[in-house]
Amino acid sequence: MLHPNHYVVTLVRIKMNVAYVNLSHRMFGPGGEYADQAEPAEVYMRRKELLDDIHRVIETVEPGLTRRRGLSLFEMSTCHLQLGRLLYESQRFPLDDFIQLLTNEIQSLQEAIECLEGAREGSSEAVIHYKAQCALHEAETMLRLLQQQQR
């Protein structure tokens, strides 16, 4: 039996996450059988579990401002934000908790950006670096709007 943190188990988790993303895009994306419906929260919840497990292993094995950690932080944070927004918009997540989630994930995205700062131009890490900056901007804007609404 393999240890839960074994690299093979972690690779399986990574592949399962990619499979969830691909399946979700095929089913709920343009031309998909369920294109007129929103992705179910359960898909995001399962991805969140996988990404949290992956990130926990990476935090242990590769701490600091590393490329792998930056990629993991980005994937985990964007999944948390997508799930939080979905639950908040369906009124299954209180405003105060959503604001706290935004605050935490903004910090994670800032750290991801710092980890991916030296990415080579044109590389996949540079693309993720750019996406992390966009996600950070969107999260900060949403946080400001919700804080104004809360007053």
Side-chain angles (χ1 to χ4, degrees):
M1 190 75 176
L2 295 175
H3 189 278
N5 293 346
H6 193 279
Y7 81 97
V8 172
V9 176
T10 302
L11 284 175
V12 168
R13 287 183 182 122
I14 291 169
K15 298 288 185 189
M16 284 177 61
N17 177 58
V18 171
Y20 271 101
V21 169
N22 291 338
L23 179 63
S24 182
H25 286 307
R26 267 194 301 241
M27 291 177 68
F28 297 97
E33 188 175 338
Y34 304 100
D36 59 335
Q37 300 175 25
E39 293 181 60
E42 290 73 20
V43 172
Y44 290 108
M45 288 180 190
R46 182 62 184 133
R47 282 192 63 225
K48 178 193 175 304
E49 290 173 14
L50 291 169
L51 292 168
D52 287 348
D53 288 344
I54 293 165
H55 186 70
R56 183 181 36 76
V57 172
I58 289 176
E59 282 286 334
T60 303
V61 175
E62 213 170 309
L65 298 176
T66 65
R67 178 187 66 81
R68 234 181 239 126
R69 185 165 170 272
L71 295 171
S72 175
L73 278 166
F74 169 75
E75 288 291 335
M76 183 185 68
S77 294
T78 54
C79 182
H80 287 182
L81 289 169
Q82 289 168 332
L83 177 60
R85 185 176 187 169
L86 182 70
L87 294 175
Y88 173 71
E89 288 175 349
S90 65
Q91 294 158 353
R92 293 167 42 191
F93 201 45
L95 177 61
D96 289 339
D97 291 346
F98 187 48
I99 287 175
Q100 184 61 49
L101 173 79
L102 283 167
T103 303
N104 293 342
E105 297 312 326
I106 284 171
Q107 291 173 345
S108 293
L109 286 169
Q110 288 169 335
E111 207 167 330
I113 290 167
E114 194 175 350
C115 288
L116 298 169
E117 198 102 323
R120 195 179 77 253
E121 188 67 33
S123 66
S124 61
E125 286 88 6
V127 172
I128 299 298
H129 183 258
Y130 175 74
K131 287 181 178 182
Q133 291 173 325
C134 294
L136 175 62
H137 176 71
E138 185 178 339
E140 288 172 337
T141 301
M142 187 179 293
L143 179 61
R144 278 193 301 277
L145 291 172
L146 290 173
Q147 287 172 333
Q148 288 174 356
Q149 178 185 0
Q150 195 177 31
R151 292 181 193 152

